[in-house]
Amino acid sequence: MGGRQVLAARRLLAESLDGALPERDRVAAAYAVVEELGSPESLLELVAELACGEGDPGAAAPLSYRHVLGFDKLLLVDAGPQHMLRAHVWHAGAGGTGREDIHNHRSVLASHVVRGRLWTELYEEVPEGRAAGRAGGGSLAAARFEESLAEGSADWLLQPAGPARLRLTHLGQYAAGTTYALPAHTLHRAWCDTEEPTVTLFLETGGARRRHTDVFTPGGPHAGAVPKVPMNVPGYLESLGFLADLLRRP
């Protein structure tokens, strides 16, 4: 179901990413896909088509929501268990909770900055023995959680998994037109510091998905479940219309 741009995006996802790809090849393929689909012209054509009701807004709206960090996660193309292509719209002053927690994902991901700017940090976990010997020496104390989806709902479940220490390995700034892609296990976090909205095209690939993700928070314990508030169809279409207008700006 869908118009010409939706069908073309589905075809590109299937041709590039379906099948049993080694993780390194899947990372490279995901990078290439979001670069191709993430040009302002290509993304505008896709978003404008979806804003007119093409695709399946009745199915996409419940899987779209305002993230606790203050950005909109708009599902553009859902290829079932295989791949999910989303637009992330980061609103300045939207009342989010600040930088996201350090985390990894269930599968390979790729992100292309379409407008604005994004910061990212990469981390590695310091083994327990090494952490004891270098506590405070460049490592970060954090509480570790295992994150999964609640049975029968879209809520996140966070199960405490003990203390941990992390080490920052990379800090990067990504301007409009730049892309990054990461293996599923890579610990990272991202945030936006621009006064104008930032737009990223985000792809989470299918294939061998992990059963849970790891979340590390330096800021203390989390609630046991974090609810997602899904969009309704009118709100979803309105958000797509806003995004299309944003992409038309010079």
Side-chain angles (χ1 to χ4, degrees):
M1 183 184 298
R4 185 170 63 89
Q5 300 302 324
V6 174
L7 294 175
R10 286 182 178 276
R11 184 166 55 250
L12 178 62
L13 288 167
E15 292 174 351
S16 302
L17 291 161
D18 281 0
L21 294 175
E23 186 175 59
R24 181 173 180 177
D25 294 345
R26 186 172 293 274
V27 170
Y31 185 106
V33 166
V34 295
E35 275 215 317
E36 181 171 342
L37 295 177
S39 71
E41 299 79 10
S42 297
L43 186 57
L44 174 57
E45 290 182 351
L46 175 60
V47 170
E49 188 175 272
L50 292 168
C52 292
E54 294 286 357
D56 189 354
L63 297 174
S64 302
Y65 52 93
R66 171 64 62 88
H67 196 278
V68 294
L69 293 171
F71 64 89
D72 292 337
K73 292 175 71 77
L74 303 175
L75 179 61
L76 305 180
V77 178
D78 179 5
Q82 291 300 309
H83 321 295
M84 298 189 79
L85 183 70
R86 299 180 183 270
H88 290 180
V89 184
W90 305 68
H91 300 281
T97 58
R99 298 185 190 184
E100 62 187 357
D101 290 329
I102 300 161
H103 63 285
N104 49 32
H105 282 256
R106 291 176 177 81
S107 59
V108 167
L109 66 100
S111 182
H112 179 82
V113 182
V114 183
R115 289 181 63 93
R117 181 178 65 236
L118 206 65
W119 287 88
T120 66
E121 293 172 336
L122 303 183
Y123 287 85
E124 66 178 6
E125 191 171 2
V126 181
E128 186 174 348
R130 287 172 55 195
R134 57 186 295 183
S139 61
L140 174 69
R144 178 178 186 152
F145 299 84
E146 291 186 354
E147 179 192 77
S148 58
L149 292 176
E151 188 74 25
S153 80
D155 292 355
W156 289 292
L157 289 178
L158 292 168
Q159 180 67 36
R165 296 200 74 89
L166 305 175
R167 184 175 71 86
L168 177 69
T169 61
H170 173 77
L171 171 64
Q173 184 188 83
Y174 293 85
T178 58
T179 303
Y180 65 88
L182 300 173
H185 66 273
T186 305
L187 295 174
H188 64 283
R189 65 177 168 183
W191 70 95
C192 174
D193 65 349
T194 57
E195 295 183 0
E196 293 295 322
T198 285
V199 177
T200 60
L201 184 65
F202 184 87
L203 171 63
E204 189 170 15
T205 67
R209 288 182 177 270
R210 303 168 63 223
R211 297 185 64 181
H212 68 269
T213 60
D214 302 297
V215 176
F216 298 84
T217 173
H222 273 292
V226 180
K228 294 181 184 177
V229 180
M231 292 184 177
N232 56 28
V233 172
Y236 171 71
L237 294 176
E238 181 181 2
S239 296
L240 288 172
F242 171 82
L243 175 56
D245 290 341
L246 190 60
L247 294 172
R248 291 188 183 102
R249 297 180 190 175

